[in-house]
Every structure is written in structure tokens, then in C-alpha cells.
Amino acid sequence: MSLKYKIERPLYQQIALKLAQQVADGTYQEGTKLHARSTLAQSFGVSAETTRKAVQVLDDLGIMESYHGSGTLVASKEKAQIYVRQFKDKETIENMRNNLLKSVDRQQEEWQNFGELLNELVAHTRQSYDLNSFLPYELEITEQAQHLDRTIADLNIWQATGATIVGLMHKEKMLVSPGPYVKIGKNDLIYFVGNEYSLQRMRDFFYK
């Protein structure tokens, strides 16, 4: 699930910041009387109540001073600059936090994609094995092999390895489905099918 990054501030706080910026950059000089709230409201395209709340914030911060019957005066450019700077610092921290959250979100999506790809790989590998399990393996019997000149029945190959011998190349002659009494000798090629462990077990059986 995606995380929400943008923090929406109340409209009156946004207006308070804009007014503070105007004081900080000298648009409103100290001692200047602020426009009537109705005029400010029209200028910012907000309600008079929103403007009242914005001015109240600046009053509380000492940036403005409101006098009953006399309106609102700009009190401190320095405090306005401090407020704007603190706001920008806070905004920078919030941007860093949001970037971190976005990074986490991207990593979660990447891990999800990785998991899906891994599942697909496992499924395809399983399917490939299921298909290849019917294709015979080949094992060459050299003079170093054990169990030479013994019959398939004597060796109990299926019980020992899980492999089923389906062919035996003996002196350039292919024996398909050799019977239990066929002997395995030097220079023979054994063809067999089995599970994923059968190949190694057959190698171990003859060359361990």
C-alpha cells in the first residue's frame, strides 16, 4: 500500500506564512498598518474568518500587533524572518522524511516484484524439471567403476539410487529396457531416468 507524503496545512496557516514572508522581505515595513481583513481576504481569495485566524497566529508570534479599533500593525521584521526560516527548516525536514518514505515505498514495490519474479522462476524451474524428468541421463562406465560385470538385478540399482535404467549401450549395440540379467561392464553407457537426486546417486554408486 502506498504511503501519503504531502502534508496539507490549514489554509489560515498558509496565509499566515505568506504575510510573514511579506514582512520578512520588506513588502510590509515595521509600523505599517495592515489592510483590513476583508481586503486581505479578497486579496488571498479566502474568507474573512480565515484571514482573522492567520493574523491571530502572527499576533501570537509577535510579528503583528492588533489594537481594538485601530487595526493591525507590523511589529517585528526580525521575528517574521525567524518564523519564515524556521518554517523552511521544518519544511526541509518534512521533505527529507517524505523522500525517505518514498524510498521505502519503492523498495517495498521492488521486493514485491522480486518476490513475484522469484515465484515465477520457481514455477518455471519446477515445470522444466517435470518435463526433463522423462529425459534420460547418461553415465559412462569406465574401468575405474565399481560393480563391473554384475547384473542389474544383483546391483538393485533402483533401490539404491531411485534410478530406472531405460537403455544400455554395450559394444555399440543399444539395449532398450535391458532385463534384470543383463550385466554392466567396462565401456558401457547407461541411460536412466529418475528424480533430481538420481544422477548424483548413480555417480556415487559406481564411483564412490
Side-chain angles (χ1 to χ4, degrees), residues 12-13 15-16 37 47-60:
Y12 74 91
Q13 290 185 3
I15 301 303
R37 291 173 186 171
S47 67
E49 177 62 17
T50 298
T51 305
R52 185 192 70 77
K53 289 182 178 179
V55 172
Q56 183 62 54
V57 169
L58 300 179
D59 276 349
D60 293 341

PDB file of all heavy atoms in Angstrom, residues 12-13 15-16 37 47-60:
ATOM      1  N   TYR A  12      -5.456  28.872   6.890  1.00  0.00           N
ATOM      2  CA  TYR A  12      -5.078  30.072   7.644  1.00  0.00           C
ATOM      3  C   TYR A  12      -3.578  30.082   7.941  1.00  0.00           C
ATOM      4  O   TYR A  12      -2.952  31.155   7.989  1.00  0.00           O
ATOM      5  CB  TYR A  12      -5.904  30.187   8.935  1.00  0.00           C
ATOM      6  CG  TYR A  12      -5.531  29.235  10.032  1.00  0.00           C
ATOM      7  CD1 TYR A  12      -4.578  29.591  10.991  1.00  0.00           C
ATOM      8  CD2 TYR A  12      -6.123  27.990  10.133  1.00  0.00           C
ATOM      9  CE1 TYR A  12      -4.237  28.723  12.009  1.00  0.00           C
ATOM     10  CE2 TYR A  12      -5.780  27.115  11.146  1.00  0.00           C
ATOM     11  CZ  TYR A  12      -4.837  27.484  12.080  1.00  0.00           C
ATOM     12  OH  TYR A  12      -4.491  26.622  13.103  1.00  0.00           O
ATOM     13  N   GLN A  13      -2.974  28.897   8.118  1.00  0.00           N
ATOM     14  CA  GLN A  13      -1.530  28.827   8.338  1.00  0.00           C
ATOM     15  C   GLN A  13      -0.775  29.213   7.064  1.00  0.00           C
ATOM     16  O   GLN A  13       0.281  29.853   7.118  1.00  0.00           O
ATOM     17  CB  GLN A  13      -1.120  27.439   8.799  1.00  0.00           C
ATOM     18  CG  GLN A  13      -1.585  27.084  10.205  1.00  0.00           C
ATOM     19  CD  GLN A  13      -1.065  25.737  10.668  1.00  0.00           C
ATOM     20  OE1 GLN A  13      -0.310  25.074   9.962  1.00  0.00           O
ATOM     21  NE2 GLN A  13      -1.488  25.324  11.857  1.00  0.00           N
ATOM     22  N   ILE A  15      -1.854  31.336   4.819  1.00  0.00           N
ATOM     23  CA  ILE A  15      -1.971  32.794   4.707  1.00  0.00           C
ATOM     24  C   ILE A  15      -1.038  33.478   5.693  1.00  0.00           C
ATOM     25  O   ILE A  15      -0.379  34.479   5.353  1.00  0.00           O
ATOM     26  CB  ILE A  15      -3.428  33.246   4.963  1.00  0.00           C
ATOM     27  CG1 ILE A  15      -4.385  32.570   3.952  1.00  0.00           C
ATOM     28  CG2 ILE A  15      -3.542  34.761   4.872  1.00  0.00           C
ATOM     29  CD1 ILE A  15      -4.053  32.829   2.514  1.00  0.00           C
ATOM     30  N   ALA A  16      -0.937  32.926   6.902  1.00  0.00           N
ATOM     31  CA  ALA A  16      -0.037  33.497   7.904  1.00  0.00           C
ATOM     32  C   ALA A  16       1.399  33.489   7.400  1.00  0.00           C
ATOM     33  O   ALA A  16       2.152  34.460   7.588  1.00  0.00           O
ATOM     34  CB  ALA A  16      -0.151  32.727   9.213  1.00  0.00           C
ATOM     35  N   ARG A  37      -9.129  43.235   7.178  1.00  0.00           N
ATOM     36  CA  ARG A  37      -9.231  41.795   6.968  1.00  0.00           C
ATOM     37  C   ARG A  37     -10.054  41.452   5.735  1.00  0.00           C
ATOM     38  O   ARG A  37      -9.758  40.476   5.018  1.00  0.00           O
ATOM     39  CB  ARG A  37      -9.830  41.130   8.204  1.00  0.00           C
ATOM     40  CG  ARG A  37      -8.902  41.164   9.404  1.00  0.00           C
ATOM     41  CD  ARG A  37      -9.585  40.651  10.655  1.00  0.00           C
ATOM     42  NE  ARG A  37      -8.728  40.814  11.831  1.00  0.00           N
ATOM     43  CZ  ARG A  37      -9.121  40.612  13.090  1.00  0.00           C
ATOM     44  NH1 ARG A  37     -10.389  40.239  13.304  1.00  0.00           N
ATOM     45  NH2 ARG A  37      -8.289  40.782  14.082  1.00  0.00           N
ATOM     46  N   SER A  47     -11.877  33.449   3.069  1.00  0.00           N
ATOM     47  CA  SER A  47     -12.903  34.097   3.877  1.00  0.00           C
ATOM     48  C   SER A  47     -12.263  35.041   4.892  1.00  0.00           C
ATOM     49  O   SER A  47     -11.071  34.922   5.220  1.00  0.00           O
ATOM     50  CB  SER A  47     -13.743  33.047   4.601  1.00  0.00           C
ATOM     51  OG  SER A  47     -12.952  32.376   5.572  1.00  0.00           O
ATOM     52  N   ALA A  48     -13.059  35.957   5.404  1.00  0.00           N
ATOM     53  CA  ALA A  48     -12.572  36.879   6.440  1.00  0.00           C
ATOM     54  C   ALA A  48     -12.170  36.127   7.696  1.00  0.00           C
ATOM     55  O   ALA A  48     -11.227  36.514   8.394  1.00  0.00           O
ATOM     56  CB  ALA A  48     -13.655  37.917   6.750  1.00  0.00           C
ATOM     57  N   GLU A  49     -12.867  35.049   7.996  1.00  0.00           N
ATOM     58  CA  GLU A  49     -12.536  34.255   9.188  1.00  0.00           C
ATOM     59  C   GLU A  49     -11.163  33.608   9.040  1.00  0.00           C
ATOM     60  O   GLU A  49     -10.387  33.534   9.999  1.00  0.00           O
ATOM     61  CB  GLU A  49     -13.611  33.190   9.413  1.00  0.00           C
ATOM     62  CG  GLU A  49     -13.353  32.254  10.577  1.00  0.00           C
ATOM     63  CD  GLU A  49     -13.301  32.971  11.920  1.00  0.00           C
ATOM     64  OE1 GLU A  49     -13.770  34.114  12.015  1.00  0.00           O
ATOM     65  OE2 GLU A  49     -12.765  32.362  12.886  1.00  0.00           O
ATOM     66  N   THR A  50     -10.859  33.145   7.845  1.00  0.00           N
ATOM     67  CA  THR A  50      -9.526  32.558   7.597  1.00  0.00           C
ATOM     68  C   THR A  50      -8.442  33.608   7.796  1.00  0.00           C
ATOM     69  O   THR A  50      -7.395  33.346   8.399  1.00  0.00           O
ATOM     70  CB  THR A  50      -9.451  31.984   6.176  1.00  0.00           C
ATOM     71  OG1 THR A  50     -10.416  30.951   6.034  1.00  0.00           O
ATOM     72  CG2 THR A  50      -8.065  31.413   5.892  1.00  0.00           C
ATOM     73  N   THR A  51      -8.697  34.819   7.294  1.00  0.00           N
ATOM     74  CA  THR A  51      -7.741  35.912   7.482  1.00  0.00           C
ATOM     75  C   THR A  51      -7.585  36.254   8.945  1.00  0.00           C
ATOM     76  O   THR A  51      -6.467  36.514   9.427  1.00  0.00           O
ATOM     77  CB  THR A  51      -8.214  37.152   6.702  1.00  0.00           C
ATOM     78  OG1 THR A  51      -8.418  36.806   5.336  1.00  0.00           O
ATOM     79  CG2 THR A  51      -7.182  38.262   6.781  1.00  0.00           C
ATOM     80  N   ARG A  52      -8.684  36.278   9.688  1.00  0.00           N
ATOM     81  CA  ARG A  52      -8.619  36.578  11.124  1.00  0.00           C
ATOM     82  C   ARG A  52      -7.722  35.581  11.859  1.00  0.00           C
ATOM     83  O   ARG A  52      -6.889  35.955  12.690  1.00  0.00           O
ATOM     84  CB  ARG A  52     -10.030  36.559  11.735  1.00  0.00           C
ATOM     85  CG  ARG A  52     -10.069  36.973  13.217  1.00  0.00           C
ATOM     86  CD  ARG A  52     -11.414  36.660  13.829  1.00  0.00           C
ATOM     87  NE  ARG A  52     -11.595  35.208  13.956  1.00  0.00           N
ATOM     88  CZ  ARG A  52     -11.023  34.481  14.907  1.00  0.00           C
ATOM     89  NH1 ARG A  52     -10.213  35.035  15.806  1.00  0.00           N
ATOM     90  NH2 ARG A  52     -11.253  33.183  14.966  1.00  0.00           N
ATOM     91  N   LYS A  53      -7.876  34.293  11.538  1.00  0.00           N
ATOM     92  CA  LYS A  53      -7.055  33.265  12.171  1.00  0.00           C
ATOM     93  C   LYS A  53      -5.578  33.440  11.807  1.00  0.00           C
ATOM     94  O   LYS A  53      -4.703  33.251  12.654  1.00  0.00           O
ATOM     95  CB  LYS A  53      -7.529  31.874  11.745  1.00  0.00           C
ATOM     96  CG  LYS A  53      -8.866  31.461  12.328  1.00  0.00           C
ATOM     97  CD  LYS A  53      -9.232  30.046  11.886  1.00  0.00           C
ATOM     98  CE  LYS A  53     -10.540  29.586  12.493  1.00  0.00           C
ATOM     99  NZ  LYS A  53     -10.914  28.221  12.060  1.00  0.00           N
ATOM    100  N   ALA A  54      -5.319  33.790  10.556  1.00  0.00           N
ATOM    101  CA  ALA A  54      -3.934  33.982  10.111  1.00  0.00           C
ATOM    102  C   ALA A  54      -3.286  35.127  10.873  1.00  0.00           C
ATOM    103  O   ALA A  54      -2.138  35.028  11.343  1.00  0.00           O
ATOM    104  CB  ALA A  54      -3.897  34.241   8.615  1.00  0.00           C
ATOM    105  N   VAL A  55      -4.001  36.247  11.002  1.00  0.00           N
ATOM    106  CA  VAL A  55      -3.466  37.411  11.731  1.00  0.00           C
ATOM    107  C   VAL A  55      -3.271  37.076  13.193  1.00  0.00           C
ATOM    108  O   VAL A  55      -2.297  37.508  13.823  1.00  0.00           O
ATOM    109  CB  VAL A  55      -4.401  38.624  11.551  1.00  0.00           C
ATOM    110  CG1 VAL A  55      -3.967  39.785  12.450  1.00  0.00           C
ATOM    111  CG2 VAL A  55      -4.425  39.067  10.093  1.00  0.00           C
ATOM    112  N   GLN A  56      -4.184  36.269  13.753  1.00  0.00           N
ATOM    113  CA  GLN A  56      -4.058  35.870  15.158  1.00  0.00           C
ATOM    114  C   GLN A  56      -2.765  35.078  15.384  1.00  0.00           C
ATOM    115  O   GLN A  56      -2.087  35.250  16.399  1.00  0.00           O
ATOM    116  CB  GLN A  56      -5.272  35.034  15.579  1.00  0.00           C
ATOM    117  CG  GLN A  56      -5.273  34.637  17.051  1.00  0.00           C
ATOM    118  CD  GLN A  56      -5.322  35.841  17.969  1.00  0.00           C
ATOM    119  OE1 GLN A  56      -6.204  36.679  17.827  1.00  0.00           O
ATOM    120  NE2 GLN A  56      -4.360  35.951  18.885  1.00  0.00           N
ATOM    121  N   VAL A  57      -2.408  34.205  14.432  1.00  0.00           N
ATOM    122  CA  VAL A  57      -1.150  33.454  14.525  1.00  0.00           C
ATOM    123  C   VAL A  57       0.030  34.409  14.582  1.00  0.00           C
ATOM    124  O   VAL A  57       0.947  34.262  15.403  1.00  0.00           O
ATOM    125  CB  VAL A  57      -1.004  32.493  13.321  1.00  0.00           C
ATOM    126  CG1 VAL A  57       0.410  31.914  13.263  1.00  0.00           C
ATOM    127  CG2 VAL A  57      -2.021  31.371  13.393  1.00  0.00           C
ATOM    128  N   LEU A  58       0.021  35.404  13.702  1.00  0.00           N
ATOM    129  CA  LEU A  58       1.128  36.370  13.656  1.00  0.00           C
ATOM    130  C   LEU A  58       1.140  37.253  14.904  1.00  0.00           C
ATOM    131  O   LEU A  58       2.216  37.666  15.366  1.00  0.00           O
ATOM    132  CB  LEU A  58       1.023  37.221  12.391  1.00  0.00           C
ATOM    133  CG  LEU A  58       1.087  36.427  11.075  1.00  0.00           C
ATOM    134  CD1 LEU A  58       0.954  37.357   9.878  1.00  0.00           C
ATOM    135  CD2 LEU A  58       2.382  35.643  10.974  1.00  0.00           C
ATOM    136  N   ASP A  59      -0.030  37.545  15.463  1.00  0.00           N
ATOM    137  CA  ASP A  59      -0.101  38.264  16.743  1.00  0.00           C
ATOM    138  C   ASP A  59       0.568  37.457  17.843  1.00  0.00           C
ATOM    139  O   ASP A  59       1.352  37.977  18.639  1.00  0.00           O
ATOM    140  CB  ASP A  59      -1.570  38.525  17.126  1.00  0.00           C
ATOM    141  CG  ASP A  59      -2.127  39.772  16.453  1.00  0.00           C
ATOM    142  OD1 ASP A  59      -1.319  40.535  15.879  1.00  0.00           O
ATOM    143  OD2 ASP A  59      -3.344  39.979  16.489  1.00  0.00           O
ATOM    144  N   ASP A  60       0.255  36.173  17.881  1.00  0.00           N
ATOM    145  CA  ASP A  60       0.804  35.303  18.923  1.00  0.00           C
ATOM    146  C   ASP A  60       2.325  35.196  18.811  1.00  0.00           C
ATOM    147  O   ASP A  60       3.022  35.019  19.818  1.00  0.00           O
ATOM    148  CB  ASP A  60       0.188  33.904  18.831  1.00  0.00           C
ATOM    149  CG  ASP A  60      -1.304  33.904  19.160  1.00  0.00           C
ATOM    150  OD1 ASP A  60      -1.769  34.874  19.788  1.00  0.00           O
ATOM    151  OD2 ASP A  60      -1.986  32.933  18.773  1.00  0.00           O
TER     152      ASP A  60
END
